[in-house]
Amino acid sequence: MAHTTHTVKRYSGLMDWLTTVDHKKIGVLYLIAGAFFFGIGGIEAILIRIQLIKPQNTFLDAQTFNELITMHGTTMIFLGVMPIIFALMNAIIPLQIGARDVAFPFLNALGFWTFFFGGLLLNLSWLIGSVPDAGWTSYVPLASTTYSTHHGVDFYVLGLQIAGIGTLLGGINFLATIINMRAPGMSFMRMPMFTWASFITSALILFAFPAVTVGLVLLMFDRLFGGNFFEVANGGNPILWQHIFWIFGHPEVYILILPAFGIISDVVSTFSRKRLFGYSSMVFATILIGFLGFMVWAHHMFATGLGPVANALFSIATMLIAVPTGIKIFNWLFTMWGGSIKFTAANLYAVGFIPTFVMGGVTGVMLASAPADFQFHDTYFVVAHFHYVIVGGLVLGLFAGLHYWWPKMFGRVLKEGLGKATFWMFFIGFQLTFFVQHFLGLTGMPRRVFTYLPNQRFDLMNLISTIGAIMMGIGVLMFLWNVLVTSLKPANASNDPWEDGRTLEWTIPSPPPEYNFKQTPLVRGYDAWWKEKMEGNTEMQPAEPVGSIHMPSPSILPFFMGIGLFIAGFGFMFAKDDFNNALLNGLFNNYVVAGVGLLITLTCMFLRSVIDDPGYHIEKEELEDKGVKA
Amino acid sequence: MAAQQAASDQSKRRHKHEGPQKHIVAFIFSIVLTLIAFAAVGSAGEVNTTFIYIILMVMAILQVVIQMAYWMHMKDKGHMLPIVFMFGGAIVALTCIVMAVYWVWWG
Amino acid sequence: MSAPVHADGQWPHEPEKATLEGRNKVLGFWLFLGGEAVLFGTLFATFLALRNSIGDGPAASELFKLPMIAAATIILLASSLTSVFAVQALHQNRVKSMIQWLIATVVLGFAFLGLEIYEFVEYVHEGHTFTTSAFSTAFYTLVGFHGAHVLFGVVWITILIVQVQKKGLNLVTAPKVYVSAIYWHFIDVVWVFIFTVVYLMGKVG
């Protein structure tokens, strides 16, 4: 391929991380940022549990408690677990499909930085002193200016809108990557389950996030510009917010859990040393769950009085989801059946996931029954249910994925013994925390209330729950310790450190070179690498000769686009405040700050449009020098 | 690589370019459908309101289908995925609209 | 891939899809439009939910003036036609003709925007402001979102015209022009629903 050599500035150190468009580095950035927010959300959880350790505790006041539950939910879902999912998707999907890069490296970086600055904006509310306090669902009229007079909910709407842009871009990027960038022979029905699950998750992001963006815009217009969407006095309708929120919110929980299903499928199959049982039914079940996820939102709203017909329809639709989910559960069990199972730390998390998630699923079916839901509604039974699916499901899945792919991402295997100990600490802590909450709910303890009276049979169970939460906290610290200890070891993981790798990511070095595959591999079947191994091959067949590889240039623009939105967010939020300072008043009240922020972002978009990115090439000789085997 | 090869094979054949006629026809169709819709509104008061709503929606959907097929090239080959994803978006959009009409407007 | 023409010196049949970058761009943009469909669907849902909540403000049937809406509709439909002609010129590598059609599109787009701004100013004079009622808030939000998309579109296409004049029409610029045309048609499609659902149904009552 004839081409002119372009010299591209390649950065090192901090600038390298700020300008990177390499999906593996962006994956690491997502992991660090996600872990940071996960830590904040975790501390919030521990504070909530300390407040509830005994009746009439005065550790926190009611307002702080409301702020903590709001920020715990919002931070964990939007800023904690979703970025960690994106970290794994970034680090692994291009490798699993045999691609050198994602479809849109620049957008990928932009997605990260907008997510990061949105999350930062939301969490700066703690330092500025007015924190969101209307719950993670931010129901109106509680979240309207009538009942929430400070800037808390403004942080919520602006932070989540900015972070939401990043998530949407990420979703589009992964869809395009999986559709267009697969290696020769990697047909859709040969893709590993994690890639499939991420594909469906990305589609759900694409269709669900615009809805919440609109919902947040409506709430923002009501709060900042005097709109009437939810103002009953002027004809607005608060139920509308609930519908829009849950039309997004229900698919969101599938956005969270589907990647975990994918991780579990890959981990269970690898460590059972067997082909995944019922692969095509797994794919079908994933698609079906994705579709049904959009048709059940109103089961969050039984208590608003939808009428018997709607209640019955949404009950049945919700219970239907148990069918494809059941298919998955049995497929995992049948994969393990007769396999030669290795209980590595990753596999312990995966095996622990299965019964825990089943429990969350069963309480889900209980909640789907509208008459029963009137009893369960707003009690700790609901809290127990969704923590069983999100922590017992997704977080265990993420830990499984992190242990499994850590050597691929960082070239070092996490300490197995410590990993197993972490699993037991976290798993037992989790069951202690949330199992008793089912019974707290059935006994009648309402959620979102900052304290309770003694001798209502709540006392002991709350104590147990708090002890469990502290154990989970210790578990997370043990994991961090493991990361720290491991990072001090030499990076000497082999291509296939588990020795049972089945998919393409285990055919290349750990961590992979920036171009991933020296030669694009030829995929000859499902579990492509396993198939080659079974035929006695030690490497994949290449689909092309060794040649120079085209790479995209790094760019600082995504970082500044994120900063621009961050500044604009502050500008809009404080546009009507009186600062007792002529300069600040002049800047904020005339929308100068908001304008400058938007201008920064738009200028960066303009620059991106007019400046062509020729990229650069890694030459054949350079590839040979490294002596890297593809 | 392979795709590039295929593309250049394609360009070696004298490629046929469609003329402007089809698009002008689509434009005339759009105008006619728009006129019918405006005319239907002119008959408000004499005809049942629900009936007019139905006429209006049918005209709008027809017009959108024509424009998507011809102007957005969705009738051309290689547009399976755009159709799938636009259809997916339309289903979710329709879900929102059914929600709003059923529970808020009528409710 | 900045080669001015295709490897064999011929202009490909579908230049926007001749490179992997181009194919990614076109596909990614279609995906984005799928999301935009949900965005506008939610805005339409909001408007439909609140269309009769006029409070003390004017009702839709008193407010809307159909001749102006008809003019705006014809203008936007015509701009869609000029845009599709630009894409035809793009496929045939007729740069000059393509730029002329793009300029026509931009001019029509600005004409539409001018009408819309005039319309909004009129409404405000008649006591139909953003804060009047739930109906007015929903109206300005839905129609304003569409207007903002039109504004973004004309600025974008203008930047592309200048780019094509500077860099020429090649396999880098062709996908950009193609994608902007798809975006422009999508805006037109949304407008078809806006004039139907907001204006015509509003006029019927």
Side-chain angles (χ1 to χ4, degrees):
Chain A
M1 201 193 305
H3 59 82
T4 47
T5 314
H6 299 282
T7 49
V8 165
K9 194 161 178 187
R10 293 171 77 174
Y11 301 96
S12 59
L14 181 65
M15 268 312 270
D16 179 33
W17 289 99
L18 296 183
T19 58
T20 187
V21 291
D22 180 348
H23 66 91
K24 298 174 286 297
K25 283 185 177 158
I26 292 173
V28 174
L29 286 174
Y30 266 118
L31 185 61
I32 294 168
F36 171 69
F37 290 124
F38 189 88
I40 292 178
I43 291 167
E44 286 157 359
I46 299 274
L47 293 176
I48 293 169
R49 280 317 317 172
I50 291 176
Q51 163 65 17
L52 293 173
I53 194 168
K54 62 174 190 188
Q56 292 188 296
N57 200 358
T58 51
F59 177 66
L60 301 170
D61 59 26
Q63 173 62 22
T64 315
F65 187 84
N66 286 348
E67 294 169 0
L68 284 171
I69 57 162
T70 302
M71 288 299 283
H72 167 69
T74 313
T75 306
M76 280 299 194
I77 287 179
F78 291 99
L79 313 174
V81 290
M82 287 204 52
I84 299 178
I85 292 171
F86 269 141
L88 289 177
M89 283 162 71
N90 260 300
I92 301 304
I93 286 178
L95 309 185
Q96 281 199 332
I97 61 175
R100 292 228 166 85
D101 212 329
V102 291
F104 305 111
F106 181 90
L107 276 192
N108 200 13
L110 177 60
F112 170 76
W113 288 112
T114 45
F115 140 71
F116 177 74
F117 282 109
L120 201 61
L121 179 73
L122 182 56
N123 274 282
L124 280 179
S125 62
W126 286 113
L127 300 181
I128 291 170
S130 42
V131 187
D133 55 0
W136 88 278
T137 53
S138 212
Y139 274 11
V140 285
L142 182 61
S144 70
T145 40
T146 320
Y147 299 99
S148 176
T149 47
H150 59 82
H151 278 304
V153 179
D154 300 334
F155 277 105
Y156 173 93
V157 291
L158 289 161
L160 288 189
Q161 271 181 76
I162 296 171
I165 296 171
T167 309
L168 184 64
L169 292 175
I172 291 175
N173 182 27
F174 284 114
L175 283 172
T177 303
I178 294 171
I179 292 171
N180 267 3
M181 309 287 280
R182 281 167 291 132
M186 177 61 83
S187 63
F188 270 102
M189 289 311 280
R190 285 177 182 174
M191 293 196 314
M193 264 326 284
F194 177 62
T195 299
W196 252 116
S198 303
F199 184 70
I200 302 299
T201 279
S202 302
L204 296 188
I205 288 174
L206 177 65
F207 295 135
F209 266 76
V212 78
T213 303
V214 169
L216 293 168
V217 164
L218 304 187
L219 186 55
M220 179 178 96
F221 282 5
D222 265 18
R223 289 186 58 89
L224 299 181
F225 308 127
N228 299 312
F229 291 110
F230 311 120
E231 288 296 327
V232 180
N234 293 328
N237 195 319
I239 291 296
L240 189 61
W241 165 264
Q242 295 192 20
H243 277 296
I244 294 177
F245 186 86
W246 286 116
I247 280 180
F248 149 78
H250 200 80
E252 167 71 12
V253 303
Y254 292 103
I255 291 170
L256 297 178
I257 198 64
L258 288 181
F261 287 171
I263 294 167
I264 301 300
S265 302
D266 282 7
V267 170
V268 162
S269 152
T270 300
F271 292 114
S272 302
R273 283 177 270 189
K274 264 182 72 190
R275 182 191 160 106
L276 184 67
F277 187 92
Y279 169 77
S280 44
S281 70
M282 282 296 223
V283 171
F284 174 71
T286 311
I287 296 171
L288 198 60
I289 292 173
F291 174 75
L292 286 175
F294 275 101
M295 299 299 151
V296 297
W297 79 91
H299 67 215
H300 295 269
M301 299 167 59
F302 286 144
T304 58
L306 303 166
V309 175
N311 278 1
L313 281 175
F314 280 101
S315 282
I316 293 165
T318 306
M319 291 175 190
L320 268 181
I321 296 186
V323 176
T325 315
I327 291 175
K328 286 182 162 289
I329 302 284
F330 281 108
N331 279 340
W332 291 320
L333 295 179
F334 289 141
T335 305
M336 289 165 69
W337 180 281
S340 60
I341 304 173
K342 273 202 251 178
F343 284 102
T344 57
N347 202 25
L348 271 184
Y349 281 106
V351 175
F353 164 98
I354 297 172
T356 316
F357 186 79
V358 169
M359 283 186 63
V362 170
T363 52
V365 176
M366 290 169 74
L367 285 163
S369 166
D373 182 69
F374 284 114
Q375 299 302 315
F376 301 137
H377 190 83
D378 259 347
T379 68
Y380 266 83
F381 191 82
V382 179
V383 177
H385 158 71
F386 66 69
H387 281 94
Y388 260 82
V389 287
I390 293 184
V391 182
L394 172 61
V395 175
L396 288 182
L398 288 176
F399 274 126
L402 286 172
H403 278 90
Y404 179 57
W405 282 309
W406 200 269
K408 192 46 66 185
M409 290 175 77
F410 298 102
R412 299 169 172 90
V413 185
L414 285 172
K415 285 197 176 298
E416 272 294 301
L418 188 50
K420 287 176 192 172
T422 308
F423 165 75
W424 287 112
M425 176 62 83
F426 189 85
F427 189 74
I428 294 170
F430 165 78
Q431 303 289 358
L432 279 182
T433 313
F434 294 108
F435 188 72
V436 291
Q437 290 189 3
H438 293 111
F439 300 99
L440 272 175
L442 293 174
T443 318
M445 181 164 166
R447 65 190 279 214
R448 292 175 162 167
V449 176
F450 82 111
T451 193
Y452 53 93
L453 293 172
N455 303 320
Q456 302 182 89
R457 292 190 284 156
F458 297 164
D459 308 6
L460 177 64
M461 286 192 277
N462 270 304
L463 176 64
I464 294 171
S465 188
T466 302
I467 293 170
I470 291 167
M471 285 174 71
M472 288 168 77
I474 296 170
V476 173
L477 291 178
M478 286 165 74
F479 179 77
L480 288 180
W481 177 249
N482 198 349
V483 169
L484 189 71
V485 174
T486 305
S487 67
L488 299 176
K489 291 195 305 183
N492 57 2
S494 64
N495 290 8
D496 188 2
W498 304 115
E499 293 167 4
D500 299 314
R502 312 178 73 81
T503 41
L504 287 179
E505 72 267 33
W506 306 113
T507 64
I508 52 174
S510 312
E514 54 187 328
Y515 45 82
N516 297 350
F517 295 87
K518 190 167 88 172
Q519 289 166 288
T520 302
L522 179 69
V523 177
R524 301 196 299 148
Y526 174 66
D527 280 345
W529 175 222
W530 184 259
K531 186 178 168 67
E532 300 294 337
K533 281 199 278 195
M534 287 303 102
E535 293 179 11
N537 298 329
T538 53
E539 55 187 82
M540 294 297 295
Q541 289 184 24
E544 57 175 15
V546 179
S548 86
I549 296 171
H550 180 246
M551 303 293 291
S553 322
S555 172
I556 193 70
L557 292 178
F559 177 73
F560 279 107
M561 285 161 97
I563 286 189
L565 291 173
F566 179 72
I567 295 172
F570 273 106
F572 280 114
M573 190 163 0
F574 294 108
K576 298 215 169 88
D577 283 46
D578 189 6
F579 293 92
N580 294 323
N581 175 323
L583 178 68
L584 281 179
N585 278 344
L587 285 178
F588 276 93
N589 296 358
N590 299 319
Y591 290 99
V592 175
V593 177
V596 167
L598 288 179
L599 195 67
I600 293 175
T601 303
L602 290 171
T603 308
C604 292
M605 282 173 78
F606 171 76
L607 291 176
R608 172 65 183 170
S609 175
V610 295
I611 301 172
D612 286 334
D613 172 22
Y616 61 96
H617 287 82
I618 297 176
E619 299 303 334
K620 204 170 160 182
E621 299 73 37
E622 204 179 331
L623 291 172
E624 301 293 354
D625 283 350
K626 288 187 184 160
V628 176
K629 287 234 158 156
Chain B
M1 270 319 169
Q4 210 171 28
Q5 197 58 45
S8 73
D9 281 351
Q10 203 178 35
S11 68
K12 278 194 191 100
R13 279 180 253 122
R14 291 309 313 153
H15 42 246
K16 286 206 308 273
H17 286 292
E18 50 186 26
Q21 301 88 350
K22 260 194 293 191
H23 296 305
I24 291 174
V25 171
F27 180 68
I28 292 170
F29 258 107
S30 291
I31 297 284
V32 170
L33 294 170
T34 307
L35 287 179
I36 294 174
F38 275 83
V41 174
S43 66
E46 302 156 35
V47 192
N48 185 317
T49 311
T50 314
F51 183 68
I52 299 181
Y53 283 172
I54 292 170
I55 295 278
L56 292 179
M57 287 319 296
V58 170
M59 292 305 123
I61 289 166
L62 271 180
Q63 179 164 175
V64 163
V65 167
I66 289 174
Q67 292 185 10
M68 285 185 141
Y70 285 90
W71 293 353
M72 292 174 92
H73 316 281
M74 280 169 99
K75 69 171 175 46
D76 300 351
K77 66 175 191 309
H79 279 73
M80 211 265 283
L81 282 163
I83 290 171
V84 167
F85 279 92
M86 289 305 280
F87 195 69
I91 286 180
V92 178
L94 200 65
T95 309
C96 291
I97 287 165
V98 168
M99 168 279 283
V101 171
Y102 184 78
W103 277 300
V104 191
W105 181 4
W106 295 349
Chain C
M1 205 65 57
S2 56
V5 288
H6 214 239
D8 57 2
Q10 274 198 348
W11 188 241
H13 183 60
E14 285 185 320
E16 71 275 4
K17 291 180 193 162
T19 62
L20 177 62
E21 286 82 357
R23 284 194 296 280
N24 282 344
K25 193 168 273 183
V26 173
L27 174 68
F29 202 79
W30 275 109
L31 300 172
F32 169 72
L33 287 187
E36 287 266 281
V38 178
L39 184 118
F40 277 104
T42 317
L43 286 169
F44 272 109
T46 308
F47 177 82
L48 282 168
L50 303 174
R51 67 192 287 268
N52 296 325
S53 307
I54 55 171
D56 302 326
S61 50
E62 311 157 18
L63 207 57
F64 297 149
K65 293 169 190 63
L66 287 191
M68 201 154 69
I69 304 312
T73 305
I74 303 289
I75 289 173
L76 209 58
L77 280 178
S79 80
S80 228
L81 186 67
T82 55
S83 170
V84 86
F85 285 158
V87 169
Q88 281 202 328
L90 166 84
H91 281 163
Q92 294 160 14
N93 202 10
R94 292 186 283 117
V95 186
K96 239 177 125 179
S97 157
M98 184 188 92
I99 287 178
Q100 283 163 357
W101 286 120
L102 287 180
I103 290 173
T105 309
V106 170
V107 169
L108 289 167
F110 273 115
F112 174 87
L113 276 178
L115 263 184
E116 188 153 88
I117 291 166
Y118 172 75
E119 180 200 356
F120 281 10
V121 172
E122 282 286 291
Y123 291 163
V124 170
H125 282 309
E126 292 175 34
H128 179 71
T129 68
F130 185 75
T131 55
T132 306
S133 61
F135 160 66
S136 75
T137 309
F139 168 82
Y140 283 114
T141 305
L142 170 59
V143 183
F145 249 81
H146 177 263
H149 275 75
V150 176
L151 179 65
F152 187 86
V154 290
V155 174
W156 181 16
I157 296 173
T158 309
I159 294 171
L160 288 183
I161 292 171
V162 178
Q163 270 193 66
V164 172
Q165 276 173 335
K166 287 238 165 89
K167 300 175 189 164
L169 186 57
N170 55 39
L171 297 185
V172 176
T173 46
K176 295 185 183 186
V177 175
Y178 183 84
V179 155
S180 74
I182 295 288
Y183 173 82
W184 194 257
H185 296 309
F186 180 78
I187 291 176
D188 186 36
V189 163
V190 172
W191 178 255
V192 170
F193 284 118
I194 287 186
F195 85 69
T196 304
V197 172
V198 177
Y199 292 102
L200 296 186
M201 281 171 66
K203 203 70 189 173
V204 173

